[in-house]
Amino acid sequence: MRSATEALPDNPDLLKAMLLAERAESERLRQIIKELQRHRFGRRAESLPEEQLQLGLEEVEQVEAAGGAESEAKVPAERQQRAARRRANRGALPAHLPRIEALVDIASKICPGCSGSLHRIGEDVAERLDIVPAQFRVLVVRRPKYACRTCEDVVMQAPAPARLIEGGLPTEATVAQVLVSKYADHLPLYRQAQIYARQGVNLDRSTLADWVGRAAFLLRPVYERLLDRLRASSKLFADETTAPVLDPGRGRTKTGQLFAYARDDRAWGGTDPPIVAYVYAPDRKAVRPLAHLAGFRGALQVDGYAGYKVLAERGQVQLAFCWSHVRRHFYELAQGGLAPIAAEALTRIAALYRIEGGIRGRSAEERRAVRQQRTLPLVEEFQPWLRQKLSLISQKTKLAEAIRYALSRWPGLCLFLEDGRIEIDNNVVERSIRPLALTRKNALFAGSDGGAEHWAVIASLIETCKLLGVEPHGYIADVISRTVNRHPQARIDELMPWEYPVTPQLQVVA
């Protein structure tokens, strides 16, 4: 039997090459392990999420408030000082809220000094924010019947108002509440049923599911029109995320896909209203975006998913790639330990983003001019730098993969330099994906392909409302009501979210 030493080749150059290959493969595997560990145990976001930061601040503020209450209880003077500071810093409560007045008066209007009558010289008015918990109520609709005393066979009665569910219990506002709670506030139906049960109203989860299904069917024409308006745009964002769907035949879930398509031209002063629409597909094949974007012509901002390349190959669209995804590959390497090349790449990309931050909100022409003057030289220096570093490192490392990812998409990464309407990254649509992830986390999976399609229909309308600043409950309730009452299909554009009033921005009141 040959020993390990005897198995080694005699050629020193070959031996050196083998050792270098082994080291490169070992480093690559270590990087994969670090990436998996970070994915499993670490924070995935590249920056501290605002929600996570707020959670931490909540705990700090709670402790501070408890300490303040303790000191106020011990020192009454400090309580008065804190109350005065709160009154000085607090804004006025919104004027549209109803006011319920309570008069706190003295017991006697007789002067304790001379027994004369006291007269009013002024008053102090204090407002506090009160809340009435959401409660159910019953709307009773009475329809009197009338008969003629002369004509015995004549009976007159007003027709019954149209309902979403004939003979059903819910009003349009009730159904809208269920939809918004599920798709905007991420409360699964079984949790909603538990909440309603605490108020003495027992609604079975299957009943709520029936309401959701009927509402989704009714809202589908509005959703389809939303997609039509998207396809008529000249620039869109696209992304996709997984949608676990129950697969009863196999007794487990299958992985579907929710494709997200968005338009938001506010960064360069575009006048078209922002839209986001989701489309469910049972798989991730390239034919899916082809079907979803049939008729679309223009710039499509995407990540690295290869399915969109078919659109570009057919000459229908120009693919603009995402610098955020390029950055993410280098960020993962820099987080794993000492990685000077990855750190330098992050520094160069950060310089591009600083320029973008300064031109956000300017016109497309101004943005293009600034990019040509300031960004183009940085990008032109970046590409040869990447090629040089790639030639110095092993081609099997994760760093080489990150560099090749950027270089293979370079024309699409540079497209934003030529068109001021195009963004540097795909973050607009990635932000629109996050609510889907929250709903998915709480609901775990959709019950069927049809349920996932309902998810896409309702979430599209709700998330578009949120982009526009339109209150989604009032919008959904009104659209359902008007559709039930046979709103003309020829006037369906009147039901688009941007045709509804924007919720006014409220000032901070405390």
Side-chain angles (χ1 to χ4, degrees), residues 25 52 54 115 186 241 250 284 307 389 392 489 499:
E25 181 65 16
Q52 187 175 350
Q54 289 176 348
S115 299
H186 320 295
T241 188
R250 297 190 300 167
R284 202 170 180 235
K389 299 304 178 184
L392 299 176
Q489 181 69 21
E499 296 296 333

Side-chain angles (χ1 to χ4, degrees), residues 206-268:
S206 61
T207 300
L208 299 179
D210 179 70
W211 297 355
V212 172
R214 291 174 181 271
F217 172 78
L218 199 72
L219 294 169
R220 181 170 284 277
V222 181
Y223 162 77
E224 296 289 351
R225 181 57 179 158
L226 202 69
L227 282 174
D228 290 340
R229 294 294 295 268
L230 268 178
R231 295 188 191 102
S233 306
S234 60
K235 185 181 73 70
L236 292 179
F237 300 88
D239 200 2
E240 67 287 328
T241 188
T242 56
V245 177
L246 192 63
D247 190 3
R250 297 190 300 167
R252 54 181 180 176
T253 60
K254 61 182 179 180
T255 302
Q257 294 287 324
L258 277 169
F259 288 82
Y261 303 102
R263 177 182 73 195
D264 193 345
D265 298 337
R266 292 174 293 184
W268 54 273

Side-chain angles (χ1 to χ4, degrees), residues 273-319:
I275 301 173
V276 59
Y278 309 101
V279 185
Y280 171 74
D283 53 52
R284 202 170 180 235
K285 296 178 181 177
V287 295
R288 303 303 178 183
L290 275 175
H292 303 161
L293 297 177
F296 169 68
R297 300 289 187 276
L300 185 65
Q301 193 120 26
V302 298
D303 56 15
Y305 170 47
Y308 300 115
K309 292 182 179 179
V310 181
L311 288 167
E313 290 169 357
R314 296 191 176 188
Q316 298 176 354
V317 301
Q318 287 180 294
L319 293 185

Side-chain angles (χ1 to χ4, degrees), residues 409-436:
R409 294 163 176 80
W410 202 256
L413 289 171
C414 296
L415 195 60
F416 81 108
L417 299 171
E418 303 296 332
D419 190 337
R421 301 171 306 157
I422 297 176
E423 294 299 309
I424 191 173
D425 55 37
N426 208 29
N427 288 350
V428 166
V429 72
E430 286 206 354
R431 286 192 293 269
S432 299
I433 287 285
R434 290 174 190 167
L436 299 184

Side-chain angles (χ1 to χ4, degrees), residues 43 45 47-61:
R43 181 170 55 86
S47 59
L48 185 63
E50 182 180 354
E51 297 85 355
Q52 187 175 350
L53 179 61
Q54 289 176 348
L55 285 174
L57 291 175
E58 286 176 8
E59 304 299 330
V60 174
E61 291 162 349

